[in-house]
Every structure is written in structure tokens, then in C-alpha cells.
Amino acid sequence: MFKRWLLALLARVGLIVLGLCCCLSLFYLLACKPTSHTSQQSLLWSGGTTSKEGYMALLQEREDSHKHYINSLTKQIAQLKEALQDRTQQLQESLDKAKTKGILPQGLESLHKTSTQTDLKEFFRSQLNQAEVNSGVKLPSEYAVIPFDMFTLRRVYQLETGLTRHPEERPVRRDCRDELIGTVETALHVLNGPTQHADNIRRKRTYSPADFVEGLTRTERDRGTVYELVFKGDGPRDFTQLVLFRPFGPVLKVKSESLDTRSVLINIIVPLSKRADAFRQFINNFREVCIQQDGRVHLTVVYFGRDQIDQVKAMLDQTTRETRFRSFTLIQMNEEFSRGRGLDVGARAWRRSHNVLLFFCDVDIHFTADFLTSCRLNAEPGKKVYYPVLFSQYNPAIIYHNHTLLPTLQQQLVMRKETGFWRDFGFGMTCQYRSDFLNIGGFDRHIKGWGLEDVHLYRKYLHSKLMVIRSPSRGLFHLWHEKTCADELPPDKYKMCMQTKAMSEASHGQLGELFFQREIKLHLNSQLQRRGET
């Protein structure tokens, strides 16, 4: 009897417990029901026309969220790697000091030196010390110079372009693009790292790819690749320069420094004789770029002779009246024209106390505000001189012979293999500080007329310990003009002048069409006759 009652009681208790479990399960399902899915479905399926748009918007939102998360993780990983390297270096320094003092605890001797890592670091450091990164290397001649390539996020300007002979590469080859983009990303990780602004009390900024201005890179076959990257600073004339080195291994940070170019004045020196029409075109470019856009320049014109000097003075006076620009100097020389002599006189005529950045320029040169920025960034007193490679125009009458009207000058300033070439044999346009120019000895004053004075100065810098930055410039153009080689020139200079004249007329293919014009016309006439007969 008691057992029956106990079994019945247990059965009732079991039923009650089972009922309570069912109720709790039901409440749990109701409380934990996902709302986002139903809301998203109501958003996607509320109307037949908007369902696709809502779905695409949701996918875009998810993709942006994932990209942001990946970028955040990448930055955190880079910061952790940098912090780990710093900790490892601190530990290594502590162990070195302890062993020097003889107080290294027993059992830690194995931590003092890891042969593989230490040897690898010493190898990378030796490669860096041998490369031309921190200081210049003496070179025997201009043929030993390894030029830099200039690049942006979209284009690469290089002298060695292989079979294509394009002055600029766009789109960039995938292997080169991946290398350069990876280098820019590495630089961004360094600039945004926790220790980059440790000594800077000011507000730390976050750099992005949009802040990248331009970069220079070159590879020494037995040492590695160096990258000089320039990023925008806090102000329009503030920049941050980062130098990286890849010694056939991981990229090493060499240095990072902030550059303030607001107080860097450029003295543009132009030697001139006659050619008033060319000077009018030059002064128009000067007014647009130097006066209206830049505003931190001084113009020095060294004029030889008296013919047409009144026209030059009138153009300078008109510029002063219309723009209120008075920072220029006109020096008249009553002697035979000598480019080297004129530049040397213009450089030594500077009477202000502070050192000045010189830009040796010709009257048939067209430059942009970006070039003036590159001039300031790539020249440093006592350390670097800048020798840009300019883009030289072909004869517009040959290039645009099919046009009824020639394009405007701005429309002609395009970099294609049909419109011009990199003038890699010219060293006349250069940016260097006056102190370096005087210390190196200036131009050879015995050279008269045209040619060779720029090569001699270039070789002086190659034989010195100053670093020569030689790279294509995207903002420096040599405008085509009729070149006359005077009979008074000696044979070697006359030959150089004729070679320059031939190279400046047209490309190889265009000159070939002119040379074989008769054969081309005969072939065309024969083809027309065959078609007429059929």
C-alpha cells in the first residue's frame, strides 16, 4: 500500500517537473528569438522593387565592417611587432651591459647571443652602411650613377623602360605595383606606430594613403633597395620624409623626420642672351607657378649683351606692376654668352646672410609647383644635391602634323613616347644650396658658349661625399625650340649639338616615317591601283 502511494507520488512529481521544463523551454525560445534576421527580412522583402537594393546595402555594410576590422587587426599586429622588437632590443642591451660588468647570472649566457639572429642583423646593418643611404659615395663618372625611379600611387616614372620606351608606366605592372604599395603600407605602419611620435608633445595624427605625395626608389644589385617616401604634414607646406631600406630581406627603417619647407626660398637663376619671345613664355609660367601658387622664390636673370634687353626689362616691370612682385635681380654682362659664367655670377651675386637654395634653369624650361616642392625636399645643405631628369618635347610640327591647329601648350605637356623623351644626357637643371655650390668650386669659368659646363659640375659632386639624387621629374619640361649649332663651335661641341638636335626632333619611329616617306607613298599608291583594278 505504501509502495503504491509512493509510486503515484513520484509519477505526479515527475509530471510536474516535466511541465515546468517545457514552460521554461518555451519562455527561453521566446526570449532568445533573433530579431535582426526578421527585421532584415522585412527590410529585404517589404517590396519587390527595393529588395535587391536593401540586400546590396546590407552586403556593402558587412563588407565595410569586415575591412575596418581587418585594417584594425593589421595595425594592431604591426604595433605588437614593433613593441616586441623594442622589448627584444632593450633585453639585448641589458644583457650586454650585464655581461660587460660581469654580473650576468648563470644560466642566462645562452640568451646573450643568438648566433643566427645576430649574424643576420649584422649582415643587414653592413648592407645599410655600404649603400648610399645616409651619406654620398664617391663615383668615378656619370656612367656609374644609378638613377632613382619616381612613383606615386598610380604611376611610375623611370628611365629604363625596356622595349616599351614609355616615359611613364600606367598602369603599373603587378609585381612592381605590389612592391611599391607594400612599401607604402609599411611606411604607414611605421608612421602610425606607438613609438613614432614618442618625443613629440603635439597631437598625434593618423596617416593614410591619401597623405602620400611621392616617392623615390632605386636598387643597388649588391646591396639592396632604398625608398624615400614623402607624406603630407600638418600644414600645406609641412612634410614627413621616411627612408626605408630593403637589404634583400625585411624592410628596415632608416630614419623618419619632419620637414618644414615654409622658410625655404628658391633662387631661380636664368642666363639669357636675346630670345625675348622665349623669355615672355618663361615669365608667364613664372607668374602662374612662382607668384600665384608658390610665393617663396627669387628670380635672378643674368643677361649677356645689350640687344633686346629693353624688352626683358619691360616684361619684368610689367610683372611688378601687375603682381607687386619685386623679388628679382637683373644682372647685365657686356661679354660673350657663357651659360656656366652666367650661372656662376648669378649664384655669387646673392647678398643676403642666410643660405639659399639655387635652381639653375634655362629660359626654355617649363616647371610646375610640384617640381618646386621636389626641389626643396631632395636638396639638403652639406648632404644632398638634386639633379632631375626633365621630359623633353619633340617638334610639335612633326607630332601634330595631322592637326589643323596646334594644341595649346598645356595640352602638349603630356608624357608619352610619341610626344617626348627623358633627357637623361642633360645635367643643366639642378637644385643645390649655395654653400655646396661654393664649396665644390662652382662652374669652370674657362668654358665658353654652349655645353660641358654642367657635366663638369656634375662630376665634381660625384667625386665628393655629397649624395646626388638623380631621378625623372614629373613637373619639369624642356619646350621644343629650333636649335642652331654655330659654326664657331669646336668639333666635339658641334657634334654634341647636332646629336641633341637629332634627338629632339621626333621619336625613332616618327623619324623613320619621314626617312622612308617615299617608299611609304609608293606602297600606298600601288595598293590603291590594285583595288582600282579589282
Side-chain angles (χ1 to χ4, degrees):
M1 181 77 180
F2 178 75
K3 290 182 179 180
R4 283 171 137 190
W5 179 80
L6 183 60
L7 290 173
L9 181 61
L10 290 175
R12 290 178 182 178
V13 171
L15 290 174
I16 293 172
V17 171
L18 181 62
L20 290 174
C21 291
C22 292
C23 293
L24 290 174
S25 301
L26 182 61
F27 285 134
Y28 175 78
L29 291 175
L30 292 175
C32 299
K33 183 178 181 181
T35 58
S36 59
H37 182 69
T38 56
S39 62
Q40 291 172 5
Q41 281 193 345
S42 63
L43 174 65
L44 297 176
W45 303 102
S46 58
T49 58
T50 61
S51 60
K52 184 177 180 180
E53 297 176 358
Y55 184 66
M56 295 301 295
L58 180 62
L59 286 179
Q60 185 65 37
E61 182 180 357
R62 291 283 182 87
E63 184 178 357
D64 294 340
S65 177
H66 287 311
K67 286 183 177 179
H68 179 73
Y69 183 64
I70 292 173
N71 292 334
S72 176
L73 288 179
T74 304
K75 185 179 296 185
Q76 292 179 21
I77 291 173
Q79 292 175 354
L80 289 174
K81 285 183 178 179
E82 188 171 357
L84 180 60
Q85 291 178 356
D86 293 340
R87 292 292 185 183
T88 304
Q89 185 176 0
Q90 292 175 5
L91 177 61
Q92 188 67 37
E93 292 175 355
S94 301
L95 291 174
D96 291 339
K97 291 180 180 179
K99 185 170 184 180
T100 303
K101 296 179 180 180
I103 57 174
L104 186 66
Q106 293 184 356
L108 295 181
E109 292 84 354
S110 60
L111 296 177
H112 174 65
K113 182 177 180 181
T114 305
S115 58
T116 304
Q117 294 181 358
T118 305
D119 293 344
L120 192 59
K121 288 182 179 180
E122 290 179 355
F123 169 73
F124 289 159
R125 188 59 56 183
S126 65
Q127 293 292 93
L128 175 61
N129 294 333
Q130 295 176 20
E132 192 178 14
V133 179
N134 291 317
S135 61
V137 176
K138 292 184 179 181
L139 299 174
S141 69
E142 61 270 25
Y143 302 105
V145 176
I146 302 176
F148 285 86
D149 293 339
M150 175 180 285
F151 66 94
T152 62
L153 290 178
R154 298 181 178 273
R155 303 182 182 185
V156 175
Y157 305 86
Q158 54 187 355
L159 299 181
E160 298 181 3
T161 51
L163 296 176
T164 60
R165 300 299 300 173
H166 290 291
E168 68 175 14
E169 190 175 351
R170 180 189 181 192
V172 187
R173 297 192 322 270
R174 184 173 182 179
D175 56 341
C176 181
R177 183 180 68 248
D178 293 343
E179 174 197 352
L180 297 180
I181 289 179
T183 304
V184 174
E185 291 178 351
T186 301
L188 291 174
H189 291 157
V190 172
L191 294 176
N192 295 324
T195 60
Q196 175 63 21
H197 301 270
D199 299 331
N200 194 350
I201 309 176
R202 297 179 301 175
R203 177 181 60 87
K204 176 184 174 182
R205 61 167 298 177
T206 301
Y207 291 85
S208 67
D211 296 321
F212 178 65
V213 179
E214 65 183 22
L216 297 177
T217 179
R218 70 175 177 182
T219 300
E220 300 180 45
R221 291 186 176 91
D222 56 342
R223 293 178 177 87
T225 305
V226 62
Y227 306 91
E228 295 187 8
L229 310 176
V230 177
F231 294 84
K232 297 177 183 177
D234 296 330
R237 294 169 181 174
D238 296 332
F239 301 92
T240 297
Q241 186 180 54
L242 186 69
V243 180
L244 302 177
F245 183 65
R246 188 195 302 271
F248 303 118
V251 176
L252 302 178
K253 172 188 170 183
V254 179
K255 65 178 179 179
S256 175
E257 57 183 349
S258 298
L259 304 177
D260 185 1
T261 63
R262 285 174 291 186
S263 59
V264 179
L265 180 72
I266 299 179
N267 184 12
I268 303 177
I269 304 177
V270 181
L272 186 62
S273 178
K274 302 178 182 179
R275 302 194 65 187
D277 293 337
F279 186 74
R280 181 175 292 103
Q281 184 172 256
F282 173 84
I283 206 67
N284 290 334
N285 176 230
F286 181 85
R287 291 174 62 168
E288 179 183 354
V289 174
C290 299
I291 300 178
Q292 298 176 9
Q293 300 181 30
D294 192 88
R296 295 162 293 157
V297 295
H298 181 91
L299 176 62
T300 300
V301 180
V302 182
Y303 198 88
F304 289 83
R306 297 180 179 275
D307 192 10
Q308 300 184 8
I309 190 173
D310 293 336
Q311 300 180 36
V312 173
K313 289 181 178 179
M315 282 182 269
L316 292 175
D317 293 339
Q318 182 182 3
T319 301
T320 301
R321 289 194 307 270
E322 295 178 356
T323 64
R324 297 181 180 179
F325 178 81
R326 301 181 182 275
S327 184
F328 64 85
T329 303
L330 178 60
I331 303 174
Q332 184 179 0
M333 306 284 292
N334 294 321
E335 55 186 80
E336 181 185 356
F337 175 79
S338 172
R339 183 179 184 274
R341 167 75 171 151
L343 294 174
D344 195 89
V345 169
R348 297 177 187 274
W350 186 257
R351 291 293 178 260
R352 304 185 189 181
S353 58
H354 65 277
N355 197 8
V356 67
L357 178 59
L358 305 176
F359 170 37
F360 295 149
C361 185
D362 289 342
V363 71
D364 47 21
I365 296 298
H366 184 281
F367 54 87
T368 65
D370 290 335
F371 168 75
L372 296 180
T373 300
S374 300
C375 184
R376 293 183 175 97
L377 294 175
N378 293 318
E380 186 176 356
K383 292 186 178 181
K384 296 190 297 184
V385 293
Y386 182 40
Y387 272 86
V389 181
L390 52 81
F391 188 76
S392 187
Q393 280 187 325
Y394 289 137
N395 189 347
I398 298 178
I399 301 173
Y400 307 103
H401 68 278
N402 293 327
H403 294 63
T404 55
L405 294 175
L406 286 179
T408 63
L409 178 60
Q410 292 297 328
Q411 293 174 339
Q412 295 180 28
L413 299 179
V414 292
M415 293 183 177
R416 295 199 303 266
K417 65 177 182 179
E418 299 85 5
T419 61
F421 65 100
W422 290 119
R423 204 180 187 93
D424 57 348
F425 55 85
F427 308 96
M429 293 350 105
T430 172
C431 295
Q432 53 193 262
Y433 276 86
R434 183 173 180 268
S435 58
D436 295 329
F437 176 77
L438 297 178
N439 292 334
I440 207 73
F443 286 103
D444 187 350
R445 301 184 184 183
H446 298 91
I447 297 178
K448 302 295 183 182
W450 181 90
L452 290 182
E453 79 287 336
D454 50 356
V455 180
H456 287 184
L457 180 65
Y458 183 65
R459 289 172 180 170
K460 286 183 181 180
Y461 282 116
L462 295 181
H463 298 161
S464 71
K465 292 185 178 181
L466 273 71
M467 187 183 302
V468 177
I469 305 297
R470 178 74 167 163
S471 71
S473 173
R474 55 184 173 137
L476 196 61
F477 296 86
H478 179 271
L479 304 179
W480 184 88
H481 59 88
E482 185 71 32
K483 181 174 289 294
T484 303
C485 299
D487 294 335
E488 296 79 13
L489 291 174
D492 56 342
K493 290 188 178 181
Y494 188 84
K495 184 178 180 181
M496 289 176 57
C497 183
M498 292 301 294
Q499 290 175 348
T500 304
K501 182 176 181 178
M503 293 185 63
S504 303
E505 285 297 314
S507 65
H508 191 183
Q510 292 166 335
L511 289 176
E513 290 182 9
L514 293 175
F515 186 80
F516 296 108
Q517 188 173 10
R518 180 174 177 273
E519 287 84 347
I520 294 175
K521 286 186 177 180
L522 290 176
H523 178 267
L524 179 61
N525 291 333
S526 64
Q527 292 292 323
L528 292 176
Q529 289 178 1
R530 291 179 182 178
R531 292 178 183 176
E533 293 175 357
T534 57

